[in-house]
Amino acid sequence: MQTDPNHVEEKELPLFPLNVVLFPGGLLPLHIFEQRYREMVKFCIRNESSFGIVMIEEGEEVGEAAKPCKIGTAVDLVEVNRLPDGRMNIMTSGHSRFEILEVKDELPYLVGRVRMLDTLDTEPDTSLEEIAAKTRELYIEYETLSSYLIFSWQAPDENPEHPQQLAYQIGTRLRIPLNEKQELLEIASFDELLKRENEILKIQNQQIVFQLAARNN
């Protein structure tokens, strides 16, 4: 995932296993009602800490701690609305992928020893720019076609120019099963991620065209 092996950042990160896949740059609202996650959020507020959103590999969101997938996204708290009974509505913003090296369960919530994976290349190489340009065209077509197919579909106001941010936005916006989204999240290099998204977009766009044609017949 385009990291310098000599400068790999490892840290401990509270983990929140969910039936969701979040990409960096994405926003995720959460309703916090379980006591363990109330404590986790309070810890993050006190320590100005991120926590990790990670898709569940085995188990359920509520009850016994679920087994998380190995790759997730670290998020920051951008808004916290405390309710009178102790529950909270929070808004989180994803900023970096991470790999879980070890899971600790001494606390009410899971804590992972993780390796942070993403650094934003200020000057992407030419080959990555070329792949991104081709994928961007397909993605813009996808957003346009989706707006014709789905009445409530709202395309983003802007599409990122930076290849890495574009790859994340596409991953967020694709209407594909969660396991396929997780597979995208786990793709190591951004050129391979964009190539895979390119393949998916071609298929998705073709399917939408068929659906629109069928609707008009």
Side-chain angles (χ1 to χ4, degrees):
M1 292 185 178
Q2 300 191 359
T3 56
D4 182 346
N6 297 317
H7 295 85
V8 174
E9 182 186 359
E10 290 187 12
K11 60 167 64 175
E12 287 196 349
L13 201 64
L15 300 177
F16 199 159
L18 290 167
N19 288 314
V20 68
V21 177
L22 181 71
F23 287 82
L27 294 173
L28 180 66
L30 293 169
H31 177 63
I32 306 300
F33 61 92
E34 285 192 87
Q35 185 61 37
R36 57 180 167 172
Y37 294 123
R38 296 186 199 182
E39 293 182 24
M40 184 193 74
V41 171
K42 290 175 184 176
F43 169 86
C44 292
I45 293 171
R46 285 196 308 271
N47 296 277
E48 298 183 347
S49 169
S50 301
F51 64 92
I53 298 292
V54 60
M55 183 176 164
I56 292 173
E57 184 175 359
E58 295 177 9
E60 303 293 337
E61 289 186 348
V62 179
E64 293 295 323
K67 179 183 177 182
C69 293
K70 290 293 185 183
I71 306 296
T73 296
V75 301
D76 290 327
L77 286 166
V78 295
E79 186 177 334
V80 178
N81 179 22
R82 299 173 185 264
L83 303 177
D85 61 3
R87 292 177 297 130
M88 293 176 253
N89 291 319
I90 65 174
M91 179 63 73
T92 67
S93 174
H95 61 78
S96 178
R97 292 183 289 185
F98 62 84
E99 177 186 10
I100 298 175
L101 305 175
E102 179 186 4
V103 176
K104 303 178 181 180
D105 58 3
E106 291 90 352
L107 296 175
Y109 50 87
L110 297 179
V111 175
R113 181 170 65 86
V114 307
R115 178 168 66 98
M116 306 308 293
L117 297 171
D118 292 332
T119 56
L120 191 66
D121 293 337
T122 54
E123 297 183 5
D125 61 43
T126 303
S127 62
L128 187 60
E129 290 279 13
E130 290 174 354
I131 297 167
K134 294 176 182 177
T135 308
R136 185 180 291 108
E137 290 179 7
L138 287 167
Y139 170 58
I140 291 171
E141 181 183 2
Y142 171 79
E143 290 285 0
T144 301
L145 289 170
S146 295
S147 68
Y148 296 149
L149 181 68
I150 304 170
F151 177 76
S152 60
W153 189 262
Q154 291 187 329
D157 294 331
E158 297 180 356
N159 297 316
E161 290 298 323
H162 196 287
Q164 292 172 222
Q165 294 172 334
L166 176 68
Y168 291 148
Q169 180 163 307
I170 293 172
T172 298
R173 299 286 292 177
L174 282 171
R175 299 189 306 281
I176 56 178
L178 284 179
N179 64 312
E180 294 182 25
K181 286 205 175 214
Q182 181 65 27
E183 289 173 3
L184 290 179
L185 190 72
E186 295 182 5
I187 293 177
S189 64
F190 285 100
D191 58 346
E192 291 301 320
L193 174 56
L194 284 164
K195 286 177 183 176
R196 178 62 185 135
E197 289 176 335
N198 189 296
E199 294 170 356
I200 294 172
L201 285 166
K202 286 179 181 177
I203 295 170
Q204 291 281 310
N205 290 351
Q206 188 177 49
Q207 289 177 343
I208 296 172
V209 168
F210 286 154
Q211 288 175 286
L212 289 170
R215 175 191 291 176
N216 294 329
N217 285 340

